[in-house]
Amino acid sequence: AQSVTQLGSHVSVSEGALVLLRCNYSSSVPPYLFWYVQYPNQGLQLLLKYTTGATLVKGINGFEAEFKKSETSFHLTKPSAHMSDAAEYFCAVNRGGSQGNLIFGKGTKLSVKP
Amino acid sequence: DTAVSQTPKYLVTQMGNDKSIKCEQNLGHDTMYWYKQDSKKFLKIMFSYNNKELIINETVPNRFSPKSPDKAHLNLHINSLELGDSAVYFCASSQGLLGGYTFGSGTRLTVV
């Protein structure tokens, strides 16, 4: 069965510092992996996705993630945090098969200090 | 134009009432979903419809009944509301597996 583990329910960084949000997955099939961001009182917005091909994926707002099969990881990074990056971040893996629904991690709340 | 729209945005109701949440997508996607987000932000799939056919029905009480009149709409009806139903309910849609989901802005349901 597919699952996602996000290490750290809360990450705090200073403005301008590196952002690193960790995600490990378990999947019995080649995974499709996603990162979503949720701003307060809003829905989830797709940041980036990995399906096949290049393992370094670039997304919106300067975020990127690298798929590492040997480590079953898909960590999200951004070189320099901005105050507007403060939000909840969710990693997700597809369930596989014909159903295709996403299984989400428990989320990581990112705080950015001035 | 909003891609996935849900109504209402907020819903406060008493225990025992019946309520509905509506969802519409104008993206031409063939699959729609309902997710429940609890107070700890955990997201869990409830239902999934593909071209009006139910394909996922997770362990959800029978009081919850989805209805898809066409592939652009997926409504959620909840009977006999309970305190534990209080949560944010998100509708989403997708076209296949590769595109990811497009989410609505959520419906915050509060049962008092």
Side-chain angles (χ1 to χ4, degrees):
Chain A
Q2 283 70 27
S3 67
V4 171
T5 301
Q6 290 184 240
L7 298 175
S9 59
H10 191 190
V11 170
S12 181
V13 301
S14 297
E15 193 173 18
L18 171 71
V19 175
L20 171 60
L21 304 182
R22 300 178 187 273
C23 172
N24 289 90
Y25 69 90
S26 170
S27 179
S28 56
V29 299
Y32 294 160
L33 294 159
F34 304 82
W35 275 100
Y36 284 84
V37 60
Q38 184 179 26
Y39 299 102
N41 298 316
Q42 294 188 26
L44 281 75
Q45 180 183 4
L46 180 65
L47 272 178
L48 49 79
K49 63 185 180 187
Y50 169 79
T51 54
T52 58
T55 56
L56 182 62
V57 179
K58 294 187 185 300
I60 62 172
N61 301 338
F63 284 94
E64 62 182 36
E66 186 170 10
F67 170 63
K68 292 187 177 181
K69 184 178 179 181
S70 61
E71 299 177 8
T72 61
S73 68
F74 190 57
H75 301 332
L76 182 70
T77 60
K78 181 174 180 177
S80 177
H82 192 272
M83 297 296 289
S84 61
D85 295 326
E88 192 91 23
Y89 291 80
F90 294 91
C91 182
V93 64
N94 75 299
R95 187 172 183 166
S98 61
Q99 294 179 328
N101 76 287
L102 296 182
I103 296 170
F104 287 86
K106 293 187 175 181
T108 298
K109 183 176 181 179
L110 175 66
S111 299
V112 182
K113 298 174 290 186
Chain B
D1 266 354
T2 303
V4 179
S5 59
Q6 293 179 231
T7 54
K9 189 170 177 65
Y10 299 97
L11 186 52
V12 181
T13 188
Q14 291 187 326
M15 277 190 343
N17 284 350
D18 303 339
K19 291 293 178 186
S20 292
I21 306 172
K22 295 186 176 182
C23 179
E24 176 182 3
Q25 55 97 2
N26 63 5
L27 299 167
H29 288 168
D30 60 3
T31 308
M32 296 184 73
Y33 311 83
W34 278 110
Y35 274 80
K36 179 180 180 180
Q37 186 174 46
D38 63 23
S39 58
K40 295 185 178 180
K41 302 284 188 181
F42 182 59
L43 281 153
K44 187 171 183 208
I45 183 76
M46 298 174 70
F47 302 103
S48 172
Y49 270 73
N50 178 268
N51 284 318
K52 302 194 302 176
E53 298 288 331
L54 179 66
I55 57 172
I56 293 174
N57 184 352
E58 292 294 302
T59 308
V60 177
N62 290 338
R63 300 182 293 103
F64 290 79
S65 54
K67 284 189 172 50
S68 183
D70 56 61
K71 75 173 192 176
H73 295 84
L74 179 61
N75 303 323
L76 183 65
H77 188 77
I78 315 169
N79 290 325
S80 303
L81 278 155
E82 300 177 357
L83 293 176
D85 298 332
S86 295
V88 181
Y89 293 84
F90 285 102
C91 177
S93 70
S94 70
Q95 184 68 31
L97 298 176
L98 301 185
Y101 292 0
T102 300
F103 279 83
S105 57
T107 296
R108 183 175 294 275
L109 172 65
T110 303
V111 183
V112 297

